[in-house]
């Protein structure tokens, strides 16, 4: 790999790539739930005080803007929350995918203030964390069927969204650092 490839990899995956190789332990699940509990405040702090021009800055060349990220995270986590509820109430339900890149281009992303999505993230994570915190050890093995990835267990899906939270938060915080936005 060249230095440029490494730099692009670091910009694209600032916390590394997701590793789905094993199910998290009960202790790791608790830490992951804490990540989800803290994300709304951390994301709010990461975008606080940014101007419209800064919100419209991509975190890397060819990447999403901070504004798109602020709207994407609750969109994605809302889908995950519904998937958890389906898996808890149905026997390995098949879920529908969505085109997250196209969602990021819809007019509501440009037209809706970031604060609206931050508020949505606050409320959504309160509900999601309450649900996750109440799951029994047996419930973590429940699953849903993704059309592209097959059967996914809830414990592995929690690990994915722990990573997803840290991944996109780092996109914003590291951009702020690189740009000297304080």
């Amino acid at each position: 790999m060249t230095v440029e490839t490494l730099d692009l990899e670091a910009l694209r995956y600032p916390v590394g790539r997701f590793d789905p190789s094993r199910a998290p332990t009960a202790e790791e699940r608790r830490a992951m739930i804490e990540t989800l509990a803290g994300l709304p405040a951390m994301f709010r702090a990461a975008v606080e005080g940014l101007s419209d021009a800064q919100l419209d800055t991509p975190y890397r060349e060819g990447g999403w803007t901070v504004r798109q990220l602020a709207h994407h995270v609750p969109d994605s986590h809302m889908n995950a929350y519904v998937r958890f509820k389906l898996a808890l109430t149905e026997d390995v339900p098949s879920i529908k995918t969505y085109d997250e890149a196209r969602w990021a281009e819809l007019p509501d992303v440009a037209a809706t203030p970031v604060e609206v999505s931050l508020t949505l993230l606050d409320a959504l994570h309160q509900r999601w964390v309450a649900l996750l915190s109440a799951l029994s050890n047996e419930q973590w093995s429940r699953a849903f069927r993704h059309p592209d990835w097959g059967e996914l267990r809830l414990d592995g899906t929690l690990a994915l969204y722990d990573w997803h939270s840290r991944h996109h938060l780092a996109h914003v915080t590291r951009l702020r650092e690189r740009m000297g936005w304080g």
Side-chain angles (χ1 to χ4, degrees):
M1 277 190 173
T2 66
V3 171
E4 291 155 359
T5 304
L6 290 173
D7 289 343
L8 180 59
E9 182 78 3
L11 288 173
R12 191 168 187 182
Y13 298 102
V15 299
R17 290 180 182 260
F18 176 63
D19 177 11
S21 62
R22 65 176 184 78
T25 65
E27 185 176 318
E28 289 169 330
R29 286 193 313 256
R30 282 190 289 280
M32 291 172 181
I33 292 169
E34 286 301 314
T35 297
L36 294 178
L39 179 68
M42 290 186 292
F43 210 93
R44 184 178 295 280
V47 301
E48 185 176 10
L50 295 181
S51 68
D52 281 338
Q54 290 167 328
L55 288 170
D56 291 329
T57 301
Y59 72 90
R60 65 172 173 84
E61 188 174 330
W64 285 346
T65 66
V66 173
R67 184 182 313 277
Q68 287 172 310
L69 289 168
H71 292 301
H72 163 71
V73 171
D75 283 348
S76 175
H77 292 198
M78 193 167 24
N79 275 281
Y81 174 67
V82 169
R83 291 169 181 177
F84 268 79
K85 292 192 70 126
L86 288 168
L88 290 166
T89 59
E90 300 176 24
D91 189 26
V92 193
S94 293
I95 57 100
K96 180 166 182 358
T97 62
Y98 71 103
D99 187 336
E100 62 185 30
R102 291 188 64 196
W103 280 38
E105 297 294 331
L106 289 172
D108 64 315
V109 171
T112 305
V114 168
E115 178 59 33
V116 173
S117 283
L118 295 174
T119 300
L120 174 59
L121 192 64
D122 284 332
L124 174 62
H125 276 237
Q126 284 181 33
R127 290 280 307 274
W128 199 11
V129 166
L131 175 68
L132 297 173
S133 297
L135 295 185
S136 68
N137 283 332
E138 295 76 32
Q139 287 174 307
W140 286 106
S141 65
R142 294 194 58 89
F144 58 85
R145 183 169 315 286
H146 189 286
D148 299 327
W149 304 333
E151 194 170 301
L152 299 175
R153 287 173 38 134
L154 293 185
D155 54 4
T157 304
L158 173 65
L160 173 62
Y161 282 90
D162 166 79
W163 172 86
H164 188 260
S165 298
R166 294 180 293 105
H167 170 71
H168 286 311
L169 179 63
H171 283 148
V172 178
T173 58
R174 294 194 183 166
L175 173 65
R176 283 186 82 129
E177 290 168 10
R178 286 192 317 274
M179 301 299 282
W181 293 342

